[in-house]
Every structure is written in structure tokens, then in C-alpha cells.
């Protein structure tokens, strides 16, 4: 197939408003009908000034220190323009210098190592580049001349054995992760001197890195198996939207946490605390309840007990800059504040409905298959239920993504305390090697202080730019064949089309995405850029966001519908939307750009559309 | 040589050789208990007799000579126009016409209805290597001996349409002779519903799935593409209904007044979106399609009619083999195969997985 590339004029330049990045491209340059027969039209979204944009102040030498399996983590280089880069929705806040440990250990080590070891027939894992504080990701293709057949043959040998061993191997991995966690959590950091803290830091880092080895070693084969099953279903005529339903309704620890929060809500109501919750700002809740005495104090004791088990989670994936609920209970208190103001979410009913819906989907699929087809379908279903990607998505988040960065954070914060830092989290604005140097006595906090301040300013500046970051950069094809990018990241043809053309709030009335949570609902829009503002959600609102991650789960008990810019059928929002029976549409690409707080929308989770019925007065 | 052969009198073993596959198969199926329309064949030798008597034999042989080599399409269509017009200008040999008229009257007496279908059945047509489906004419809904004889001549003449000429020239034996043709005169069954059925999935080739399409009344509107039929898929093993799509059937084929063929009229409102393939119809059609598939040992497509009742009868008016690209693998769950195919876009080749 011939590829004709259309290069757009560079629009990115730091002196221009960033909004110009996403201005609509003229239709002629990306519409498929404009393509010659048999010719794919790639659009090049120029990297422009991103290549020369200074990275974090005094970040020289920060990159390339950590071992990558295939391709190290980096900032953008001119030659990157020949590849497709998509804005990774997992880190909508942006990453602080220390938080880029994720890029090093997760993507540049975990994904690449797993892809090479398995080996993954299709590629070599995920590469990433930073644009300011924001992560762009790109699949690493096999180099020209790779022996695909040999790689596939190795995969063919490894997958069946791996699948047979999955339930047991995941239990072993979980036990290993729990043991590491317990060891790190038990350590009394305050009792350690600098040398002891350095050991603790290295140990926490090793745990972090190991967790991501496990993460991707498990994720790829699970995903490949799910995609195989889903492909077979498609071949058998089972609609794609039904495949997810076949695997829903299996309980996970994330849902268990949600139940605990509702149970705490019940107890708060019973203790007569509803008025306190109603009258108190979220940020003041902990102090107010602690100071109130009587039943409030008893309730806070209960609350903290629950957090000791369920509170080791952050408001985002694998980000050392984020506190856990134990450290900062504002998020769970905010959730309870919103829960207490509405009727109780009936978890049992929702769970039974999800299970009943699953069984109905299975029956419906079988009823449309011949007996021979049913035998193949049943065998595939049994395999993917035993190695259930949907279930694992939530299960692994509890033991990996939501807590894996905490031990590093604890050491970093203890270092900050011991060196008398200005702010308790100053150290998350250091790069890893700087933190190590600080502990080793090779650098002094006083010398690092100016760069910390400059980096805070840099982080805030880029944080504000997040809504304007282009969803895709570089060479954007009109379709992506890699099913991982399609099913997990939601890079459908429609997404790419919308992402390339941008969205004018005045023009766009209907958004199209991937239908993942069934049903139709109307409500007022609440656009959230990150989980910090989850407590602002009012019951019955439509959550509009880049994507959700496990910490967003409790919100699904209160919202009418969910709309995401990114994510495919296997994304977190898709899975939770199904479990909670919330109409959900993902991969709309431009929902957060086009919709505003207060817009009235209708979300059709069966057809994958979001229709704006009325614009908020403020915007119009 | 007989001018007329009754389907009832044909022996399955040489029926196709004598009256062409289209009519011959009906005789074969009748012998294994499949219900087919009653009627007779006007034989290829009756056609030859007529052509000899009318002086057409020499004209046709000369035309064949002119088509030697690779004639240009324009040349073919000019010749077709001349031949076809000349053929229709010659009256049917009276001895042949008289025998056809007599047989028609006997058929009317047998079936107690005077409406018939006249169908071409070229010898060699529908052979698996060269399907002539739809190339030669057929006439449905004729009434009266004169019209029947005229339609028989039309069928003979349809060998000389531009399209038929082109098809015949593709045959390896094209230079030797014109395609001999028999013509069937068959009862036109009063159709409650009719349609087509495939004993294997027509697009995927899956052998465990039967596809049935149908509409109310006669199937002409479907054949002509005027109406989309309802569509059902059945499990070939147990006949279970797997899928049903109700179409908006806007048009109904019905008899033109005075026996002048079929006309399309608007479907009565209530019927447009009513499911036409009821469980009884699907069972009967599914059974008959499986019987025919097993009898021939390869996938078939079948034109069927369910008669107005009571009792409703399922009658096969045509059956022919369908060509399927190759053996379709049965669906089997193999995690490696599925992952390679659907997650990594690879296919298995003799040398291993390739992309």
C-alpha cells in the first residue's frame, strides 16, 4: 500500500497560544474520501517547537540513567515526527521529575522487557516522550528485517503454558507483591539515617521496577488472549459490544473498597453526621470531624481503621507525587460527603444485575451460534474467564498501580523532612539521581532549592496546558491496526479523525465514540481534568473526562453517564461502566474540549454517541 | 426422438443428459422424495426439429462460423440482434407446436390450473464449471396454449441474446455447436411465500449454517431486486433458528390479469414488516435443503415455494450446486491461533506465521 503523507504547517510555538494546536485542520487534508484509491493518507502533526522546548529546569543529564529494555524514555527529537504519538491518558496531571520513574520503570522497562521476553509477536513494547510534563506514548515496531515467524513461533510455544498456569502464577505474583509491600510498609523511616534511607529508597525502587515487570508480563498475554477471543466472537457474529459483557460481574478489591465507603456512609448517617458533612467544605472535613468529639470521633476512628486496609491507594496511577488516602483522607471524605447526600447505591442489586446481564449476554450469543460454533465459543469463554483481563484490570490496580509508588514517596518525604525542606513534597521535584545524591551527601538541599522552585513553576505551567495538549502528534495514519492501541487506548478511526481535526464547541453537536456501558441517560455535564475534583460531581451529572482510572470508581455510583476522550473497550471506564450499569462512551477524542460544565447531554451507551441538547448559559 | 418428456417419466440417472440440469435435477430430487412441480420438458430434439424445418439450422451454423476466433463485443451484439429477430420471425413447426399444446392441456387437467411457468433448461447449463444462471429466459404466469408455445420459442431464442452469446462463446466446446436447449413447462404453484435457501453460508462458506431468504407470494420481485427478502439462519445440525432479519417488503409479485406474466404491486400494508418465514416454513425448507445437500454431497442453493394451503406444501422449483472457495475450517478455540490472528494480524502459512 502506498502512503501519502500530508504535512500540516507547524502550529506549535511557545509564543502562540496553545489553543492553536488543536485548531481544525482543513478537511481536505485528512478526509479519507480525499485519498486516492489504494493510498493511505497519513497526516503529519508537526512536533514543531516541542522538539526544542526546554524540559524541566536543570534537567540536563537526568535522562538516560535508567536501563531501558529497548528504547529509553526521552523528550521529543526531530526524527520522532515519523512516528505516531498519542497523549497518554493515565497521567492527566502531568508528572513531576521524580514521578518520571514511572516512565523509566513502567514503559521503558516493564512493557519493553515483557514484549521482548514473551516475545510479543507484534512489537517491542511502548516508547514514550515527554512534552513538558505530559507523556506521549508510541508502540515500538519490530525493526526492519525481524524474523516475525520466529518470534511468533516462540509466542506460540509460550502462550498455552502461560495460560494454563495463570491463576496460580498470578497468586504467586500477588504474594510476592504483598510481601514486598509489607516489608516496605513496616519500615520505620524516621529511625533511619541517610544511609539507611538510601537503602530504603533503593529497595522501594527495586520493588517499583519489579512490580512493573510483573504488570506487563501478565498484561500482554492476558490481553492477547482476550483479543483473540474477542476476534473469534466477531468472526462468529457476536457483536463487539457484547464481548465485554461476557466477562463482567466478577468481584474485585476495587469494588470492595467502594462497598466499604458506602458502609462508612451508612454509619455516618446513623451517627447523625449528615449535617456536618453537608455544612463542611471537603478540605475541612477531617479537621472538623476530629474536633467535633462524640460520635464524630468514633466515626473517624472507624474511618481510619477502614483506610488502614483500603486506603493504600493514590488518586492516580503510579505517581510518586500523589498521596495515599491514608496520608490525605480528603478524597474518601469527599466521596462520602457526596454519597451521604443521595440515596444509597445498592451494590448487591448492581452486582446481581451485572451477573444477570452477563448470563443473558452469554445466552444471547449462544442462541445465535450453531452447535459447532457454540463449542468453540464455550471453550474460548472458559479460557478468558479463567484468565480474565477485565477482572485483572481492577485486581492488579490494587496491588500495583494504585500503591506501587508509595514506598518511594515515603522515603522521599522523609528525606524532605530530615533536610528541613520548605515544603514536605519538595523532593518529588528532584530527579532520582538528585535524590540519591542528596542522601549520599553528594548534594546539599540548599543547592537544590532554586531548581525545585523553578520546577514547581514549570509543572504548574504545563498542568494548565493539559486541556490544550494535542491528542496525537507526529505521523497519524487514518487507521491503526494494533488492537492494543484500539482496544485499550481507543485509537479507533473515528478517534484519530476527531483528534486530528479538533473540535469547535460552536460546531460540534454530536460526538461519536466507542459504546462500552449500556443504556441511555441524560444529564448535565461536569468536565473533570483530574481526580482531585471528583468530589465536585453532583449526583445525576454526566462525568466528562480524559479517562478514568481506578480511583475514579466510586464516582460511578453517583453519575448518570460517563464520557471519555480516550480509552477503548478494555479501558477502566469501560469496565467500571459495565459493572455499575452506567451508560459510558469512550474514545470521543474531543469531549473535554467541546463540552462545558452545565451542558445538557444525552449519552447513548448502546450506540456510542453523545448528543448535546442544550449549552450552558455561561458558555453561550 | 420424443418432442415432449414428462418429468414423472424421466429416470434420474439420465434425466440431466436428456433435458438439461435444471429440469433433470427436479427429476432427481423427485426420486428422493423432494416435492417438485409437475410438468413436462419440450426436448432439445424438438427444438432441433423446429430449427431444421424452419431453415434455421443453416443460418445458425453460418453465424457460428462468423464467431470463430475472438469477435469484438460490438460484432457479437450486432449478430445477436439479427439472429434473435430472425429466430422469432419463424413460426414454430406445427408438429412440435401441436404436441406442446396437447401436453399443456393435459397438464392443466392434471393440476386443475391453467397458469404455468416456462423455463429454459440448456443442456450443459448449470454445469459446475460454467454456470449460466439467469442467462436464458424463463416466463412465469402464462396462461393458454398459444402463449405457452410462444414462450417456448422465446426460450429457444434466448440462446441468441448478446449476453447468452458471450457466455456460450466462453465454453471450450463453443466452436462445435450451439448449446442445445430443452424447455420446461411446469405448473405455477400458488405461492404463499417463496425464496431461496443455501445449505452453506453463502458468504462465509460455513457448512454448519443454512441461510433461508423469502418473501410473500412469488419470488420474482426478489429475483429482480425490487424487494429485500426476510433472512433467517439455521443450525444445519439441529435446524435451530439462529438469526432472523425481517425486511421491509414493499413489493409483492402477483399474476398479471389475463395470464400475461407477473407484475409487481405494493405489498399490503400489514404484510410489509410481517415475518414471512414462520417456524413451519423454516422447518420444511431447512429439511429439504439438508436432504438435497446430502443427496448431492455438496452445498446447494435451492429455490423454494410454500404453497397456499391448506395444507401448505414446500416445493422445490430449482436446485443447483454452489461453488465455495475451499473447505472452510470449523470454528475451534485455539488461544494461540486466535491471538495470532486477531491480536497480531498474522496468518498461518506452510512456513509458519506471517503478516
Amino acid at each position: 500500500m502506498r502512503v501519502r503523507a500530508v504535512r500540516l504547517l507547524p502550529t506549535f510555538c511557545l509564543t502562540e497560544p496553545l489553543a492553536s494546536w488543536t485548531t481544525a485542520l482543513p478537511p481536505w487534508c485528512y478526509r479519507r474520501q480525499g485519498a486516492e484509491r489504494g493510498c493511505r493518507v497519513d497526516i503529519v502533526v508537526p512536533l514543531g517547537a516541542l522538539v526544542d522546548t526546554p524540559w524541566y529546569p536543570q534537567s540536563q543529564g537526568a535522562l538516560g540513567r535508567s536501563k531501558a529494555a529497548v528504547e529509553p524514555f526521552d523528550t521529543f527529537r526531530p526524527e520522532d515526527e515519523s512516528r505516531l504519538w498519542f497523549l497518554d491518558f493515565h497521567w492527566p496531571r502531568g508528572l513531576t521529575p521524580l514521578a518520571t520513574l514511572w516512565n523509566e520503570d513502567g514503559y521503558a522497562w516493564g512493557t519493553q522487557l515483557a514484549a521482548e521476553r514473551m516475545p510479543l509477536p507484534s512489537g517491542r513494547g511502548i516508547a514514550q516522550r515527554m512534552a513538558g510534563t505530559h507523556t506521549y506514548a508510541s508502540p515500538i515496531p519490530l525493526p526492519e528485517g525481524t524474523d516475525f515467524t520466529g518470534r511468533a513461533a516462540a509466542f506460540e510455544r509460550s502462550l498455552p503454558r502461560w495460560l494454563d498456569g495463570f491463576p496460580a502464577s498470578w497468586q504467586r505474583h500477588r504474594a510476592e507483591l504483598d510481601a514486598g509491600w509489607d516489608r516496605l510498609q513496616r519500615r520505620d523511616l524516621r529511625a533511619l539515617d541517610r544511609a539507611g534511607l538510601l537503602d530504603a529508597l533503593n529497595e522501594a525502587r527495586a520493588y517499583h521496577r519489579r512490580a512493573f515487570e510483573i504488570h506487563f508480563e501478565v498484561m500482554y498475554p492476558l490481553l492477547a488472549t482476550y483479543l483473540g477471543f474477542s476476534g473469534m466472537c466477531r468472526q462468529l457474529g457476536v457483536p463487539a459490544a457484547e464481548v465485554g459483557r461476557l466477562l463482567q460481574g466478577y468481584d474485585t478489591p476495587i469494588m470492595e473498597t467502594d462497598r466499604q465507603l458506602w458502609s462508612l456512609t451508612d454509619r455516618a448517617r446513623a451517627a447523625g453526621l449528615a449535617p456536618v458533612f453537608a455544612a463542611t467544605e471537603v478540605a475541612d472535613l477531617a479537621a472538623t470531624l476530629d474536633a467535633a468529639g462524640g460520635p464524630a470521633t468514633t466515626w473517624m476512628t472507624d474511618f481510619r481503621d477502614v483506610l488502614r486496609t483500603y486506603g493504600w491507594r493514590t488518586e492516580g496511577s503510579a505517581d510518586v507525587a500523589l498521596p495515599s488516602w491514608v496520608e490525605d483522607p480528603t478524597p474518601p471524605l469527599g466521596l462520602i460527603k457526596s454519597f451521604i447526600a443521595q440515596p444509597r447505591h445498592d451494590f448487591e442489586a448492581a452486582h446481581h444485575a451485572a451477573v444477570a446481564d452477563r448470563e443473558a449476554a452469554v445466552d444471547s450469543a449462544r442462541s445465535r451460534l450453531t452447535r459447532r460454533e457454540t463449542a468453540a465459543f464455550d471453550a474460548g469463554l472458559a479460557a478468558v474467564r479463567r484468565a480474565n483481563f477485565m477482572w485483572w484490570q481492577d485486581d492488579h490496580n490494587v496491588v500495583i498501580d494504585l500503591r506501587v509508588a508509595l514506598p518511594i514517596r515515603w522515603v522521599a518525604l522523609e528525606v524532605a523532612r530530615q533536610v528541613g525542606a520548605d515544603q514536605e513534597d519538595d523532593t518529588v521535584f528532584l530527579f532520582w539521581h538528585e535524590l540519591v545524591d542528596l542522601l549520599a551527601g553528594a548534594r546539599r538541599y540548599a543547592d537544590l532549592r532554586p531548581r525545585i522552585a523553578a520546577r514547581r513553576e514549570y509543572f504548574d505551567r504545563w498542568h494548565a496546558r493539559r486541556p490544550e495538549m494535542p491528542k496525537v502528534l507526529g505521523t497519524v495514519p487514518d487507521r491503526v491496526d494494533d488492537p492494543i492501541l484500539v482496544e485499550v487506548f481507543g485509537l479507533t478511526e473515528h478517534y484519530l479523525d476527531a483528534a486530528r481535526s479538533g473540535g469547535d464547541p460552536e460546531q460540534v453537536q454530536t460526538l461519536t465514540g466507542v459504546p462500552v456501558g449500556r443504556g441511555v441517560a441524560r444529564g448535565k455535564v461536569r468536565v473533570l481534568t483530574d481526580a482531585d475534583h471528583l468530589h465536585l460531581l453532583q449526583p445525576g451529572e454526566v462525568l466528562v473526562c480524559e479517562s478514568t482510572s481506578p480511583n475514579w470508581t466510586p464516582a460511578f455510583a453517583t453519575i448518570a453517564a460517563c464520557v471519555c476522550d480516550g480509552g477503548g473497550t478494555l479501558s477502566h471506564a469501560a469496565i467500571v461502566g459495565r459493572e455499575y450499569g452506567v451508560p459510558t462512551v469512550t474514545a470521543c477524542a474531543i469531549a473535554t474540549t467541546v463540552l462545558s460544565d452545565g451542558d445538557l447531554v444525552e449519552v447513548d451507551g448502546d450506540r456510542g454517541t453523545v448528543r448535546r441538547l442544550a449549552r450552558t448559559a455561561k458558555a453561550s | 426422438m420424443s418432442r415432449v418428456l414428462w418429468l414423472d417419466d424421466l429416470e434420474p440417472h439420465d434425466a440431466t443428459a436428456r433435458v438439461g440440469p435444471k429440469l433433470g435435477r427436479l427429476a432427481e430430487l423427485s426420486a428422493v422424495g423432494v416435492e417438485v412441480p409437475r410438468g413436462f420438458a419440450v426436448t432439445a430434439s424438438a427444438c432441433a426439429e423446429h430449427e431444421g424445418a424452419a431453415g434455421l439450422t443453416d443460418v445458425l451454423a453460418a453465424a457460428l462460423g462468423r464467431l470463430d476466433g475472438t469477435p469484438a463485443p460490438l460484432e457479437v451484439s450486432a449478430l445477436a440482434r439479427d439472429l434473435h429477430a430472425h429466430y422469432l420471425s419463424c413460426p414454430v413447426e406445427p408438429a412440435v407446436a401441436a404436441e406442446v399444446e396437447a401436453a399443456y392441456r393435459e397438464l392443466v387437467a392434471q393440476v386443475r390450473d391453467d397458469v404455468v411457468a416456462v423455463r429454459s433448461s440448456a443442456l450443459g447449463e448449470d454445469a459446475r464449471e460454467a454456470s449460466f444462471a439467469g442467462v436464458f429466459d424463463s416466463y412465469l404466469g402464462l396462461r393458454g396454449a398459444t402463449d405457452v408455445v410462444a414462450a417456448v420459442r422465446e426460450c429457444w431464442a434466448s440462446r441468441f441474446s448478446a449476453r447468452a452469446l458471450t457466455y456460450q462463446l466462453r465454453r471450450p466446446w463453443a466452436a462445435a455447436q450451439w448449446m442445445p436447449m430443452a424447455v420446461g413447462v411446469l405448473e405455477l404453484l400458488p405461492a404463499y411465500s417463496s425464496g431461496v435457501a443455501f445449505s452453506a453460508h453463502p458468504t462465509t462458506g460455513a457448512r454448519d449454517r443454512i441461510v433461508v431468504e423469502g418473501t410473500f407470494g412469488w419470488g420474482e420481485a426478489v429475483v429482480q431486486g425490487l424487494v429485500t427478502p426476510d433472512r433467517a439462519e439455521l443450525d444445519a445440525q439441529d435446524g435451530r433458528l439462529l438469526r432472523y432479519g425481517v425486511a421491509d417488503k414493499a413489493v409483492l409479485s402477483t399474476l398479471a390479469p389475463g395470464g400475461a406474466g407477473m407484475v409487481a404491486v405494493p405489498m399490503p400494508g400489514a404484510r410489509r414488516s410481517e415475518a414471512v418465514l414462520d417456524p413451519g416454513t423454516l422447518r420444511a425448507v431447512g429439511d429439504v435443503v439438508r436432504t438435497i445437500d446430502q443427496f448431492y454431497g455438496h452445498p446447494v442453493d435451492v429455490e423454494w415455494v410454500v404453497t397456499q394451503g391448506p395444507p401448505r406444501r414446500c416445493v422445490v422449483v430449482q436446485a443447483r450446486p454452489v461453488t465455495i472457495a475451499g473447505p472452510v475450517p470449523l470454528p475451534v478455540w485455539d488461544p494461540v491461533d486466535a491471538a495470532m490472528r486477531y491480536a497480531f494480524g498474522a496468518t498461518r502459512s506452510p512456513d509458519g506465521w506471517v503478516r
Side-chain angles (χ1 to χ4, degrees):
Chain A
M1 178 175 285
R2 286 187 302 140
V3 176
R4 187 158 59 95
V6 176
R7 195 166 193 284
L8 303 177
L9 293 175
T11 50
F12 178 74
C13 164
L14 277 181
T15 56
E16 283 179 32
L18 290 176
S20 65
W21 291 0
T22 51
T23 44
L25 311 182
W28 55 262
C29 69
Y30 66 90
R31 289 284 170 220
R32 302 194 74 195
Q33 55 262 42
E36 295 159 39
R37 252 178 109 76
C39 174
R40 214 177 65 197
V41 179
D42 289 343
I43 301 293
V44 178
V45 181
L47 301 175
L50 281 178
V51 173
D52 307 317
T53 300
W55 201 38
Y56 269 112
Q58 291 177 276
S59 57
Q60 298 83 345
L63 293 170
R65 287 167 177 269
S66 184
K67 192 162 177 264
V70 178
E71 183 181 335
F73 157 59
D74 207 343
T75 52
F76 275 111
R77 302 179 301 229
E79 63 268 29
D80 290 333
E81 202 164 276
S82 65
R83 298 165 71 175
L84 164 67
W85 299 94
F86 55 92
L87 183 63
D88 196 312
F89 58 69
H90 289 93
W91 294 275
R93 289 162 38 95
L95 293 172
T96 64
L98 195 60
T100 59
L101 288 179
W102 144 258
N103 304 78
E104 296 184 339
D105 294 351
Y107 275 168
W109 182 251
T111 68
Q112 298 173 12
L113 185 75
E116 290 299 88
R117 268 193 190 159
M118 193 163 73
L120 193 66
S122 58
R124 311 184 73 194
I126 296 176
Q128 353 99 78
R129 301 286 183 263
M130 285 297 250
T133 58
H134 302 296
T135 302
Y136 282 84
S138 185
I140 307 174
L142 300 177
E144 209 61 47
T146 301
D147 171 22
F148 177 80
T149 303
R151 212 171 155 98
F155 170 80
E156 182 164 16
R157 285 190 296 275
S158 68
L159 184 70
R161 216 171 341 144
W162 187 90
L163 277 177
D164 280 347
F166 171 72
S169 68
W170 177 239
Q171 281 317 310
R172 272 200 310 280
H173 286 321
R174 239 179 164 281
E176 180 189 343
L177 291 164
D178 281 339
W181 169 261
D182 288 345
R183 199 171 54 247
L184 292 164
Q185 203 203 348
R186 267 201 311 272
R187 183 156 298 166
D188 180 7
L189 297 176
R190 293 199 164 217
L192 298 178
D193 61 7
R194 299 280 170 97
L197 282 174
L198 185 55
D199 285 347
L201 185 66
N202 281 320
E203 200 180 330
R205 176 74 188 271
Y207 166 79
H208 188 257
R209 209 165 165 86
R210 173 63 190 146
F212 285 113
E213 287 177 8
I214 292 173
H215 183 299
F216 294 102
E217 177 190 322
V218 174
M219 187 195 82
Y220 277 132
L222 273 185
L223 186 54
T225 306
Y226 171 82
L227 292 173
F229 175 69
S230 147
M232 184 183 78
C233 284
R234 209 164 46 242
Q235 197 67 29
L236 293 175
V238 177
E242 303 228 334
V243 178
R245 290 171 60 206
L246 303 173
L247 297 173
Q248 74 188 12
Y250 295 99
D251 217 3
T252 67
I254 293 273
M255 300 178 79
E256 178 56 27
T257 307
D258 299 350
R259 285 201 190 91
Q260 292 292 335
L261 290 180
W262 278 96
S263 163
L264 282 166
T265 305
D266 289 345
R267 279 180 270 166
R269 206 181 271 130
L273 298 176
V276 183
F277 272 93
T280 312
E281 288 297 321
V282 175
D284 304 330
L285 271 172
T288 306
L289 289 164
D290 276 333
T297 305
T298 312
W299 186 87
M300 279 303 277
T301 307
D302 282 358
F303 174 68
R304 292 210 166 87
D305 275 349
V306 169
L307 289 192
R308 255 188 290 282
T309 308
Y310 297 95
W312 299 111
R313 50 188 281 177
T314 52
E315 289 295 282
S317 288
D319 183 350
V320 73
L322 299 176
S324 69
W325 285 2
V326 174
E327 187 182 331
D328 176 6
T330 310
L333 287 171
L335 286 166
I336 291 166
K337 177 180 161 78
S338 80
F339 290 172
I340 211 166
Q342 60 182 298
R344 190 179 205 288
H345 179 73
D346 191 339
F347 276 97
E348 289 314 307
H351 179 66
H352 286 138
V355 170
D357 187 55
R358 175 185 78 209
E359 294 310 315
V362 172
D363 288 345
S364 154
R366 283 189 185 135
S367 75
R368 282 170 287 166
L369 300 177
T370 64
R371 280 202 274 161
R372 282 169 182 171
E373 290 166 343
T374 304
F377 172 82
D378 285 350
L381 184 61
V384 292
R385 281 186 172 172
R386 193 156 173 273
N388 187 339
F389 181 87
M390 302 283 181
W391 169 84
W392 181 81
Q393 269 290 65
D394 261 4
D395 197 59
H396 90 276
N397 274 320
V398 173
V399 287
I400 302 181
D401 295 43
L402 292 184
R403 72 179 192 192
V404 70
L406 288 172
I408 297 176
R409 176 181 171 83
W410 298 329
V411 180
L413 262 53
E414 177 57 22
V415 174
R417 195 188 65 82
Q418 291 196 14
V419 299
D422 299 338
Q423 296 187 44
E424 61 161 21
D425 66 344
D426 267 1
T427 40
V428 303
F429 289 89
L430 296 177
F431 285 102
W432 170 261
H433 70 282
E434 293 168 333
L435 184 60
V436 169
D437 285 354
L438 186 61
L439 278 172
R443 288 174 196 264
R444 293 182 315 133
Y445 171 70
D447 299 334
L448 296 167
R449 190 188 260 148
R451 69 181 67 176
I452 289 171
R455 287 170 186 174
R456 280 190 190 277
E457 190 273 331
Y458 184 91
F459 179 88
D460 291 345
R461 190 150 40 90
W462 282 90
H463 184 248
R465 282 178 186 160
R466 178 70 182 196
E468 292 150 22
M469 298 302 291
K471 302 288 186 192
V472 287
L473 281 173
T475 302
V476 185
D478 55 7
R479 57 170 296 169
V480 170
D481 294 323
D482 184 341
I484 294 169
L485 298 195
V486 176
E487 304 293 339
V488 178
F489 289 98
L491 302 189
T492 61
E493 280 178 61
H494 189 89
Y495 175 94
L496 294 172
D497 195 37
R500 294 189 302 191
S501 58
D504 178 356
E506 301 293 330
Q507 300 291 323
V508 180
Q509 287 306 319
T510 301
L511 295 163
T512 306
V514 177
V516 290
R518 300 172 76 204
V520 180
R522 289 180 177 199
K524 287 198 168 164
V525 164
R526 173 76 63 179
V527 183
L528 292 187
T529 49
D530 59 57
D532 294 353
H533 301 109
L534 266 183
H535 59 269
L536 294 176
L537 268 177
Q538 298 300 309
E541 283 186 330
V542 173
L543 169 61
V544 176
C545 57
E546 258 193 70
S547 77
T548 68
S549 51
N551 45 299
W552 298 61
T553 307
F556 278 76
T558 76
I559 57 178
C562 176
V563 179
C564 299
D565 283 351
T569 55
L570 299 182
S571 63
H572 177 265
I575 293 168
V576 180
R578 272 192 293 270
E579 296 292 348
Y580 279 79
V582 171
T584 301
V585 180
T586 58
C588 293
I590 50 172
T592 55
T593 318
V594 168
L595 300 175
S596 307
D597 283 355
D599 286 356
L600 181 65
V601 293
E602 181 178 272
V603 179
D604 187 332
D606 298 315
R607 299 201 299 181
T609 57
V610 182
R611 203 154 55 90
R612 176 157 52 199
L613 306 172
R615 294 194 62 179
T616 178
K618 182 187 66 178
S620 58
Chain B
M1 295 289 277
S2 326
R3 297 182 178 116
V4 163
L5 288 172
W6 288 86
L7 292 192
D8 287 350
D9 297 337
L10 284 166
E11 293 294 336
H13 67 90
D14 66 351
T16 293
R18 295 179 76 184
V19 296
K22 191 186 274 184
L23 293 172
R25 277 197 210 104
L26 293 182
E28 290 163 1
L29 294 177
S30 178
V32 293
V34 173
E35 193 165 349
V36 300
R38 285 169 291 183
F40 60 89
V42 182
T43 60
S45 56
C47 175
E49 181 187 350
H50 157 72
E51 286 170 0
L56 280 163
T57 314
D58 295 341
V59 177
L60 295 174
L64 199 60
R66 282 166 56 198
L67 287 171
D68 224 6
T70 338
L74 271 179
E75 210 180 318
V76 173
S77 58
L79 183 67
R81 205 165 41 240
D82 292 350
L83 271 185
H84 195 255
H86 180 64
Y87 202 106
L88 290 181
S89 72
C90 301
V92 177
E93 158 62 18
V96 174
E99 205 161 325
V100 172
E101 287 173 14
Y104 167 71
R105 286 191 201 96
E106 193 180 328
L107 178 63
V108 170
Q110 272 183 32
V111 303
R112 299 200 197 121
D113 191 356
D114 59 353
V115 187
V116 292
V118 177
R119 293 177 182 269
S120 302
S121 180
L123 277 68
E125 183 190 4
D126 265 2
R128 290 174 90 175
E129 68 276 15
S131 176
F132 285 80
V135 172
F136 304 119
D137 288 351
S138 283
Y139 298 88
L140 268 61
L142 300 180
R143 184 176 274 148
T146 314
D147 282 4
V148 167
V149 170
V152 168
R153 186 176 56 181
E154 293 274 1
C155 287
W156 289 337
S158 69
R159 289 175 294 163
F160 308 107
S161 71
R163 190 154 65 116
L165 239 58
T166 310
Y167 269 80
Q168 289 178 83
L169 287 170
R170 283 196 200 141
R171 294 181 309 155
W173 60 93
Q177 59 166 116
W178 291 107
M179 213 171 180
M181 180 182 276
V183 176
V185 178
L186 307 168
E187 66 174 317
L188 185 76
L189 296 147
Y192 166 74
S193 61
S194 41
V196 187
F198 305 86
S199 70
H201 196 283
T203 46
T204 68
R207 292 297 310 267
D208 58 346
R209 211 169 258 264
I210 289 171
V211 175
V212 182
E213 294 183 342
T215 187
F216 288 111
W218 284 285
E220 278 301 280
V222 176
V223 172
Q224 291 167 18
L226 299 175
V227 73
T228 307
D230 281 9
R231 181 187 166 102
E233 296 186 18
L234 310 176
D235 186 332
Q237 273 182 290
D238 57 14
R240 198 161 38 98
L241 176 63
L242 304 174
R243 237 162 250 257
Y244 194 100
V246 180
D248 176 16
K249 300 169 286 295
V251 166
L252 172 71
S253 284
T254 187
L255 281 179
M262 292 277 174
V263 287
V265 299
M267 183 76 76
R271 294 237 125 160
R272 279 180 69 143
S273 54
E274 185 187 329
V276 56
L277 304 168
D278 53 72
T281 299
L282 287 173
R283 201 174 318 114
V285 174
D287 285 350
V288 87
V289 167
R290 265 184 292 176
T291 304
I292 298 173
D293 178 293
Q294 280 160 18
F295 174 65
Y296 287 115
H298 54 71
V300 291
D301 79 48
V302 165
E303 282 181 34
W304 56 268
V305 169
V306 166
T307 63
Q308 288 168 12
R312 288 191 183 154
R313 298 177 293 132
C314 178
V315 183
V316 169
V317 298
Q318 210 184 122
R320 62 178 163 235
V322 288
T323 314
I324 282 176
V328 179
L330 291 174
V332 174
W333 169 251
D334 173 347
V336 170
D337 191 81
M340 288 307 298
R341 205 177 287 274
Y342 302 114
F344 306 124
T347 47
R348 211 191 273 275
S349 82
D351 302 325
W353 291 102
V354 291
R355 263 212 296 205

